Amino acid sequence: MESRKNQIISLAFKLIQEKGFVCMSYDDLSKPLGVTKASIHYHFEKKEDLGAAILERMMERLEQLLLRIASLPPEERLEHYFSDRFSRFGM
């Protein structure tokens, strides 16, 4: 089972794609997860902390992708890279 912290990060990422970081609120996160805003604040005291955690996760996933495709020929690298990026961003 995914930890609450990971659930918050995953949902926040989706909401940022829909609404943008500035318009996303802890209330937007707490209702779908069935928790209080205080629970969100327990994991991420400030919204900026949540933003940093999302960026960290994005960087980790990008690093993993780059390691997986490093040994491929350049054309295949590009194909895999764009395919991964488009799938992650719903394109």
Side-chain angles (χ1 to χ4, degrees):
M1 184 174 143
E2 190 178 23
S3 74
R4 179 67 69 201
K5 190 172 187 174
N6 285 329
Q7 289 174 335
I8 294 167
I9 293 170
S10 296
L11 179 57
F13 182 75
K14 290 176 188 171
L15 289 173
I16 289 169
Q17 289 177 304
E18 294 170 12
K19 302 173 85 166
F21 183 74
V22 173
C23 293
M24 178 197 65
S25 70
Y26 276 19
D27 194 47
D28 295 329
L29 294 167
S30 65
K31 289 179 182 178
L33 293 173
V35 300
T36 64
K37 286 189 275 185
S39 176
I40 307 292
H41 280 283
Y42 171 79
H43 294 287
F44 303 100
E45 185 178 340
K46 298 177 290 189
K47 192 174 174 183
E48 292 81 7
D49 299 331
L50 176 56
I54 292 167
L55 288 174
E56 184 177 315
R57 178 179 285 181
M58 291 173 68
M59 291 299 297
E60 288 171 0
R61 289 184 175 171
L62 182 56
E63 287 174 10
Q64 291 170 0
L65 170 66
L66 294 175
L67 287 173
R68 283 195 314 269
I69 66 174
S71 63
L72 298 174
E75 298 83 13
E76 287 184 45
R77 280 189 218 159
L78 279 173
E79 183 180 324
H80 280 78
Y81 175 81
F82 285 113
S83 175
D84 181 80
R85 296 292 90 196
F86 289 150
S87 69
R88 292 205 186 273
F89 292 103
M91 301 171 101

